[in-house]
Amino acid sequence: MRILVVDDEADVQPLFLQRFRKEIKNNEIEFSFALSGEEALNVLHNAHSEIVLILSDINMPGMSGLELLTHIREDFNDPPPPVVMMITAYGDEENHRQAMEKGADEFLTKPLDFILLKEKLKTFAE
């Protein structure tokens, strides 16, 4: 399963690689990383058929995660469309409502509960 993680905080990449090292070693999961919504769209344009899941922060400079979600749902609907999980440090109801209205499959809050995330990934992989 190839996962695209979109977050403007560079320290997210080593965290994911460390928390999923067993799954990466076993070739169960492959990660791509983007530091902005714009960079994520470039990754998707080059490899969207390979990306099964997108984990995107909502609050980023430039293109927000909600704007990115809108682009994903409009431009990358080829079956099967990628699963999109939105992540925010602010678990407020307005962000949750907007994310779900724009087509998010899941809404997670920071700090990420990696045990919960792994459980959710298993259900999407099946």
Side-chain angles (χ1 to χ4, degrees):
M1 174 184 348
R2 185 158 173 203
I3 298 171
L4 173 60
V5 178
V6 187
D7 198 309
D8 60 311
E9 295 178 30
D11 61 345
V12 166
Q13 182 171 348
L15 181 64
F16 270 86
L17 295 176
Q18 191 268 330
R19 293 293 182 114
F20 286 92
R21 67 180 178 270
K22 179 180 149 209
E23 293 83 355
I24 293 167
K25 184 180 175 212
N26 293 336
N27 292 318
E28 297 168 21
I29 293 178
E30 178 184 343
F31 284 101
S32 295
F33 295 91
L35 293 169
S36 68
E38 294 86 356
E39 190 178 332
L41 287 177
N42 287 336
V43 171
L44 286 167
H45 281 294
N46 293 323
H48 86 274
S49 62
E50 300 166 24
I51 302 211
V52 175
L53 175 72
I54 300 166
L55 292 165
S56 178
D57 190 17
I58 288 181
N59 297 302
M60 297 184 287
M63 182 187 299
S64 74
L66 293 173
E67 291 172 287
L68 173 62
L69 176 59
T70 299
H71 284 289
I72 291 167
R73 291 301 180 226
E74 289 175 356
D75 301 338
F76 301 98
N77 267 336
D78 295 347
V83 171
V84 181
M85 294 184 183
M86 303 305 294
I87 305 168
T88 185
Y90 313 101
D92 68 270
E93 193 55 40
E94 183 58 21
N95 271 338
H96 183 267
R97 185 188 63 74
Q98 284 188 41
M100 298 320 255
E101 280 180 4
K102 293 177 183 287
D105 295 288
E106 191 72 50
F107 188 84
L108 306 169
T109 55
K110 290 181 179 179
L112 274 177
D113 178 343
F114 281 93
I115 294 168
L116 177 66
L117 178 58
K118 286 181 182 189
E119 288 173 11
K120 290 183 182 295
L121 293 180
K122 283 180 190 171
T123 64
F124 286 114
E126 293 170 353

